[in-house]
Amino acid sequence: MSADGAVRPTLDEVRGFHLDRLNDALRRSGMYGGEVALRLCTDTMAFIDGVTGSWQREQEDLRSRDAANSLGVRGAFAQLVDGYLDDGAAASVYAEFAWRHGWLTVDRTLPDADHRRLREGAAAWTARDRSLDEVVAEFGPPSVLFGGSNRRYPKTLAYAPADRSEDLVSLHFASTYDWDATTGQPEPELVLLAVRHGRGPFETTFAFTPAGARHRFTGE
């Protein structure tokens, strides 16, 4: 009990509070302060669960495989896809660590056969352009949606396997909304740029669609 008579929360209650906050920040990181908020929330959960060392090694690993640079994970995405500074895409990378430590709350898991088809057949699946509606029709609603429902903005869908020892598969989308248009537009489509899975060098974890390949950063 504190000096003013208030009852202090238990450690389990504190953990539950921060776990909920982490999951909220992952899904709508832009509303919580972007990537800085994700790092702070993950720092807190790592401290509470006694895995600070594991989280430090994860951050070193992100840098060593070029999944983070001086601008963080968002900067690593922008080095691969020109102008793709999406909070949801960065959040999907932090979510992988949360998934492995049992922190990520998912809306559903994908049956093993479908998850295997998505992760092992990514190259074939991305051989032509795909819309968000087409992906959802094929694999169902995502396990986690990183970003809001507004189709004017990019977003990332992640599919989680039933077996937590397997990694998430993330699908990154860009919006076709034209912010410079002076006349009304129909509901914009969300176009798949890439399917991402694995823990190797960051660039090798992507399977790009033709639309994604057209937006690859060339350095020019």
Side-chain angles (χ1 to χ4, degrees):
M1 182 177 293
S2 64
D4 62 2
V7 177
R8 294 187 184 277
T10 66
L11 178 58
D12 284 344
E13 290 171 334
V14 170
R15 184 182 187 276
F17 174 86
H18 285 288
L19 188 61
D20 289 344
R21 184 60 53 85
L22 173 61
N23 276 277
D24 289 343
L26 285 168
R27 284 164 167 77
R28 299 300 300 273
S29 61
M31 296 178 62
Y32 284 83
E35 191 168 346
V36 172
L38 296 179
R39 285 200 297 269
L40 291 174
C41 288
T42 308
D43 281 346
T44 301
M45 281 304 306
F47 178 78
I48 290 172
D49 276 7
V51 294
T52 299
S54 180
W55 172 228
Q56 290 174 341
R57 288 189 295 274
E58 176 76 8
Q59 294 176 85
E60 293 167 0
D61 179 66
L62 290 176
R63 290 189 290 270
S64 69
R65 61 190 186 92
D66 295 324
N69 57 26
S70 60
L71 296 178
V73 175
R74 290 175 84 244
F77 272 97
Q79 282 191 321
L80 288 177
V81 183
D82 193 20
Y84 196 69
L85 287 168
D86 176 42
D87 287 326
S92 70
V93 175
Y94 286 84
E96 292 168 354
F97 183 78
W99 169 252
R100 292 196 293 273
H101 284 270
W103 301 337
L104 183 66
T105 301
V106 299
D107 297 329
R108 63 183 287 259
T109 57
L110 202 62
D112 288 339
D114 287 340
H115 192 266
R116 187 182 310 110
R117 179 163 60 93
L118 180 55
R119 70 176 186 265
E120 295 180 359
W125 175 252
T126 56
R128 66 174 179 84
D129 288 331
R130 310 275 184 168
S131 69
L132 183 144
D133 292 336
E134 186 176 359
V135 170
V136 172
E138 180 74 18
F139 294 104
S143 303
V144 184
L145 169 63
F146 299 101
S149 59
N150 192 326
R151 287 177 174 253
R152 296 183 180 185
Y153 297 95
K155 56 192 82 279
T156 293
L157 276 58
Y159 286 93
D163 181 358
R164 195 172 282 270
S165 67
E166 292 287 350
D167 290 329
L168 303 174
V169 178
S170 293
L171 290 79
H172 304 292
F173 292 84
S175 177
T176 57
Y177 185 77
D178 182 2
W179 290 95
D180 295 323
T182 58
T183 59
Q185 301 178 55
E187 182 76 359
E189 280 195 338
L190 284 158
V191 178
L192 180 64
L193 298 179
V195 175
R196 185 178 59 81
H197 173 266
R199 307 184 200 180
F202 199 48
E203 186 172 5
T204 68
T205 64
F206 288 76
F208 287 96
T209 62
R214 289 193 294 272
H215 287 85
R216 288 293 303 276
F217 182 70
T218 62
E220 299 177 356

